[in-house]
Every structure is written in structure tokens, then in C-alpha cells.
Amino acid sequence: MAVSGFEGFEKRLELHFFGDDPAFLQMGLRKLDFESLQQVLQAVQCTVVSAVGNSYFDAYVLSESSLFVYPTKIIIKTCGTTQLLKSICPLIYYAHHHLGLTLSSCRYTRGSFIFPKAQPFPHTSFKDEVTFLEETIPTNLCYRKASIMPSKSSSHSWHVFTACDESHIPYDHDNESYTMEICMTELDPILARKFFRPPGDGKTGDSAGKEMTVLTGVNEINPEAFICDFAFDPCGYSMNGIDGDWYSTIHVTPEDGYSYASFECVDSNNTDLVHMLRKVVQIFRPGTMSVSTTCSGYSNEIWTRVASAVEPMGWKCRSCTMDQFPAAGTVVFQTFTPRRRST
């Protein structure tokens, strides 16, 4: 393991808002001007490199991961040494003063940093993050919970903080909706090389990203999605996929010694889950993989589908932890490693 390198593990923040004008809520947060979004991202210390949108939401590829803006929901996911939680105050301000929207729930999640000592405040520890969140979010978000979900792997644990008020539980659509976050380390070095650009290729990040999407098979994960992608120089890759009101996103740090890739999607259609998971595993072939599934209901057993999807490919579920969170529902955290095979 390298002494220091680029931190692949992302921090993820999801904020839900509400307002009193139904007509205005048709666009809601999407009415935030680009200058305001830039101010938010400046506090986080990242920038927009590419963007796409449809009739449901806007998706931005950032210099460090992704941003998704829905009418009443915003999701920011950033890697490296970004200060993600510093986006909360400006977002609350712009939403309230420019749009008349009020924060109703907050969810913050992340894995275990590869280089925790390189993180700036407030990301210096989960305790510091929780303290910062407690002091930053409004007092009306009174139902709060923070937890570290462990695993048998010292390099993979799941950190969760949620908060909501008593009136607005932001479940999406119906009880079958879920958010899946996959974190992969120790990528197959041959496959990871596909996320390096040839020296002096003379291409833009957008055009190089499109080639990388096809070369690696990322476009086959969800063939129905419209993909906005970007390849960094000399290496690294990000993409956002939009399919109706559902998104997917991938971020890759391919350097040997601290290689990392993530895949996240939100969906309510479980029929393609097996295909998506298997394709993601084929693209990266990691040494260790964690899967966090957040279900908006209490009885959804989607985590059993996760295990049954990858176990036939030679993977073994090493740990499985479940917990309930206000404003989130059921969170299940699983870790997988390849089975040892006799030669």
C-alpha cells in the first residue's frame, strides 16, 4: 500500500427539501443558477467538468465525482480531499433565500478512507464529521442517528449519518426503490490499465471518456442509459448515466497500490440487478468489494439478490450488517472477496 496517494473513497451527501408552492416545485432546486452551484462547489473544492440533464433531473460530472440535482433533492458525491460537508450551509441558504425551500432531511455516507490522515477538517474522523453535521443542520431535523457499520475487512466499513424532521420522510416513489453503493479496491491491474490515457493523445476529456466507456464495457451495464463521461489525464474516469428519473455513476482511481472504483445506482426495477452487478464485477475484478444497499422500505430483501448475483461468479459474502435509519429506511452493508480456488 502506498504511503500517500489519491483518495478514491467518496463522501456522499443527500439533502431533501420541501416548499409550499406545488407549481414552483416542478423545477425546484433545478432553478438554482449555475453561479450558485459554482459557489457551493467552491466551498467543497471541486468544479464541474461535464453536464447533462433530462426532464427529471440534472447530472454533473465533477473534477472529484458527481452532483445530481432533482426538484426537491440534491446529491453530491466527492472523492480526494474535498470538504463535502461544507456544502450544506450554502445549499440551505440558496434553497431558502432564492427558492423558498426548507431542508427536511439529510443523509451522509462514506466508506473507510485509504488515506485517513490526509483528510482535512471536518473529515478528519467520523466523530468530527458527526459533530460538524449536528452543529450545521437545522434543529427541526430532530430525528438523528449516526453509526459505523463494521465488516470483517479492516479496510471496509460503512459510516452513516441521517437526520429528518417529523413531517417529511423522503422515500422515493414506492417501497421497492433502493440506492446501491458499491466500493471496490485492489482492482485487477490489467483491467485498471484501461482507465489510463495514452501519453499525448491530444483528445479532450469528453472524447477520451467516450472511448473509455466503450473500451471497458461500462456502456453495457445499462444499455438504456444516456452516458455523460469524462477521462482524466493521465488516468482516472468518471461517468453519470441517466435513465428516466434514475441515475447511475462510476468513478475510477486506477493507480496501482491504491486502486479504487465505485458504482452507484438508484432504481426501483430489480430485474436488471443481476446483470448490473455481474457486469460491474467483470469490468473491475476487485480484490475486495463492499455493497451498501439503502431500501426505502423495511421488508425489501434486495441484499439476498446481491449475494445470489455474484456468488456464482466465485465471490463469497464475508460479512453482512443491517440497521434502520430515520430518513433512509433499511441500510444493509455487505462485503465480498473472491473464493479461494484450488489449482
Side-chain angles (χ1 to χ4, degrees):
M1 183 66 68
V3 173
S4 183
F6 187 81
E7 180 59 65
F9 272 96
E10 299 98 345
K11 317 165 184 85
R12 182 186 186 276
L13 179 68
E14 179 172 332
L15 302 176
H16 289 247
F17 295 82
F18 73 96
D20 297 325
D21 186 347
F24 190 78
L25 290 178
Q26 291 181 3
M27 286 297 291
L29 293 165
R30 299 181 71 185
K31 280 182 167 284
L32 281 176
D33 59 81
F34 188 65
E35 183 179 345
S36 296
L37 288 178
Q38 284 182 311
Q39 291 293 323
V40 172
L41 296 175
Q42 184 177 347
V44 177
Q45 298 185 342
C46 60
T47 58
V48 173
V49 299
S50 190
V52 68
N54 62 13
S55 59
Y56 297 98
F57 68 101
D58 301 309
Y60 301 85
V61 175
L62 305 178
S63 54
E64 282 85 5
S65 301
S66 292
L67 164 67
F68 302 96
V69 183
Y70 289 78
T72 59
K73 174 176 69 176
I74 190 163
I75 299 165
I76 312 182
K77 187 171 186 173
T78 64
C79 55
T81 54
T82 50
Q83 296 168 281
L84 176 60
L85 296 183
K86 291 189 176 181
S87 67
I88 297 175
C89 282
L91 280 171
I92 292 175
Y93 175 85
Y94 288 129
H96 182 69
H97 290 277
H98 293 194
L99 306 173
L101 300 176
T102 302
L103 184 68
S104 60
S105 78
C106 167
R107 172 155 48 114
Y108 174 70
T109 57
R110 68 167 175 86
S112 297
F113 295 129
I114 300 173
F115 306 107
K117 293 182 179 180
Q119 290 296 317
F121 182 83
H123 301 286
T124 37
S125 69
F126 187 55
K127 180 180 179 181
D128 289 341
E129 290 171 322
V130 170
T131 299
F132 186 88
L133 283 159
E134 295 273 13
E135 295 174 349
T136 303
I137 60 176
T139 55
N140 65 297
L141 273 62
C142 54
Y143 295 94
R144 305 179 179 190
K145 182 174 180 177
S147 179
I148 300 177
M149 304 178 71
S151 76
K152 292 183 178 179
S153 169
S154 59
S155 61
H156 284 260
S157 58
W158 198 241
H159 305 68
V160 184
F161 173 90
T162 67
C164 69
D165 64 21
E166 60 184 1
S167 305
H168 300 87
I169 306 298
Y171 290 165
D172 289 319
H173 300 275
D174 54 43
N175 285 342
E176 293 301 313
S177 66
Y178 67 88
T179 301
M180 179 178 295
E181 300 171 70
I182 303 176
C183 301
M184 297 166 280
T185 54
E186 304 166 69
L187 310 182
D188 180 285
I190 295 176
L191 297 177
R193 290 300 304 177
K194 295 181 179 181
F195 294 96
F196 281 77
R197 290 173 59 174
D201 61 6
K203 298 174 183 174
T204 64
D206 295 294
S207 62
K210 285 177 172 48
E211 289 187 6
M212 212 171 271
T213 296
V214 175
L215 175 67
T216 58
V218 166
N219 60 314
E220 299 172 11
I221 296 174
N222 178 8
E224 303 300 317
F226 180 85
I227 293 177
C228 179
D229 37 25
F230 195 89
F232 296 91
D233 191 11
C235 65
Y237 169 85
S238 290
M239 85 83 176
N240 292 331
I242 62 174
D243 182 8
D245 55 349
W246 309 112
Y247 72 84
S248 59
T249 185
I250 289 176
H251 303 285
V252 186
T253 302
E255 291 97 326
D256 189 36
Y258 49 94
S259 61
Y260 171 86
S262 67
F263 171 80
E264 177 181 333
C265 68
V266 60
D267 205 346
S268 65
N269 180 4
N270 297 335
T271 57
D272 292 328
L273 175 65
V274 171
H275 168 78
M276 285 193 302
L277 277 169
R278 290 181 176 177
K279 192 64 189 176
V280 168
V281 171
Q282 289 171 356
I283 290 170
F284 298 106
R285 277 206 294 251
T288 303
M289 174 175 67
S290 68
V291 181
S292 171
T293 310
T294 303
C295 304
S296 55
Y298 290 90
S299 60
N300 193 325
E301 296 183 355
I302 194 171
W303 52 90
T304 61
R305 301 186 185 104
V306 171
S308 62
V310 298
E311 284 176 349
M313 302 178 69
W315 287 77
K316 181 176 177 59
C317 183
R318 303 295 178 180
S319 61
C320 182
T321 308
M322 181 175 69
D323 205 347
Q324 305 283 349
F325 292 86
T330 303
V331 178
V332 179
F333 180 63
Q334 299 164 278
T335 57
F336 298 84
T337 58
R339 294 180 184 271
R340 296 184 180 273
R341 293 180 177 177
S342 57
T343 56

